[in-house]
Amino acid sequence: MLGMLIWLPGLNCLSAPNHYEDLANPPKFASAPLKRRNPALAISVEMVEQRLREKQEIILVDVRKGSEFERFRIPGSIHIPLFAVKTKPFLKPKPLVLINEGYSYHQLEQECVRLRESGFKAWILNGGLYYWRQEGMPFTGDAFAMKGLNRMPPRVLFREKDYENWLIINVSPSTRSRSRSLIPQLISVPYGGKEKEFITALNRMIGQHQAHYRCISVLICSENGEQYYKVEKTLRKTAFGNAFFLRGGMEAYEKYLTLQAMIKQGTHTKTLRRCTGCP
């Protein structure tokens, strides 16, 4: 008789093949040449608000999943999946703004370029729905669901980390060398409860980053995904209260990378072997 064993991340139910050690340390997933974000594609919340206030023609296109759009959205916005925007000819002569949560830019940038090449007048809302909400702009829908807008999933960081505009801050008391190898541009600014010292150090890092890049975005992480509440409370007192936070911290990101490596190697699939109690 054969028993079916299913591999699950974090469980040691299977004896690991020798190459698992390499999969848990996937260097080719860790870093890549940083890409420059095109600021000409972005439009600020303030500019959109001004155009709406002045009754200028502008279409807000929410490209998230339909279920997420139903939960909360900007009043007057319309829902169209990102891949389908180019199939809507009625949008072509009108200025349109592509909108998502705010932390995912890679896919929006690629599609925005294609839309412009096809004759659309397209922009990307800088900071997305999260910045819109932080600026006190009108929202409709489930207010409780909006609270997770600034929590970036590890899978999104995998795409976004290659943009040089991201300032990625680790607030843990100490940063593992493992975390630095996964994200070489990771900067350590420990949060020890001393708000003034933390804000001073953070502002210094932000100032240095702003000197080189436009439209910077701040991502806060910790080794295990803790400390976020206190850090978020402190950041509200600064000019950069619009920071995003890595869901689950660096540990969750490392697990995601390892799983992707295993999927690529084909080692995540179901495995059959003889039960130890079978004759």
Side-chain angles (χ1 to χ4, degrees), residues 72-271:
F72 58 87
R73 59 196 175 277
I74 299 174
S77 62
I78 62 175
H79 173 254
I80 303 176
L82 185 59
F83 71 88
V85 175
K86 61 180 176 291
T87 68
K88 310 298 181 183
F90 71 91
L91 294 175
K92 207 163 191 177
K94 303 176 182 180
L96 60 93
V97 179
L98 305 176
I99 301 169
N100 64 4
E101 298 88 348
Y103 48 66
S104 181
Y105 188 85
H106 174 70
Q107 292 176 320
L108 288 188
E109 182 179 64
Q110 290 184 325
E111 191 61 26
C112 189
V113 169
R114 286 191 284 263
L115 287 170
R116 287 192 176 191
E117 291 173 347
S118 299
F120 287 82
K121 302 173 184 177
W123 282 268
I124 301 168
L125 181 62
N126 188 44
L129 291 170
Y130 180 59
Y131 277 26
W132 182 272
R133 177 174 177 263
Q134 290 296 94
E135 293 298 322
M137 300 299 291
F139 249 111
T140 182
D142 184 356
F144 181 78
M146 299 178 197
K147 294 183 179 180
L149 275 173
N150 65 344
R151 295 303 194 258
M152 177 191 284
R155 59 178 173 76
V156 176
L157 176 59
F158 179 61
R159 298 191 302 263
E160 295 298 317
K161 68 177 179 59
D162 294 333
Y163 280 93
E164 61 187 9
N165 67 291
W166 278 105
L167 178 60
I168 306 176
I169 303 290
N170 192 325
V171 298
S172 291
S174 61
T175 299
R176 298 178 302 157
S177 58
R178 175 72 175 136
S179 296
R180 294 185 187 279
S181 68
L182 294 178
I183 305 180
Q185 68 269 36
L186 187 67
I187 297 174
S188 179
V189 182
Y191 181 83
K194 297 181 180 180
E195 291 189 354
K196 290 184 178 180
E197 293 181 8
F198 175 75
I199 291 174
T200 298
L202 184 62
N203 282 336
R204 182 172 63 251
M205 295 300 174
I206 290 173
Q208 293 173 0
H209 208 68
Q210 279 183 316
H212 299 282
Y213 312 117
R214 294 177 58 187
C215 300
I216 75 167
S217 298
V218 178
L219 176 65
I220 301 294
C221 68
S222 66
E223 291 300 323
N224 55 12
E226 297 180 357
Q227 290 186 301
Y228 288 169
Y229 174 76
K230 293 181 180 179
V231 173
E232 191 169 12
K233 186 177 179 181
T234 298
L235 287 179
R236 293 195 190 105
K237 304 175 184 178
T238 72
F240 278 85
N242 288 345
F244 295 96
F245 292 78
L246 177 61
R247 188 180 300 163
M250 289 303 301
E251 291 180 0
Y253 182 61
E254 182 176 353
K255 289 179 181 178
Y256 174 81
L257 291 181
T258 302
L259 179 58
Q260 295 308 301
M262 289 180 173
I263 291 173
K264 188 173 181 65
Q265 292 286 339
T267 55
H268 73 299
T269 55
K270 297 179 180 180
T271 304

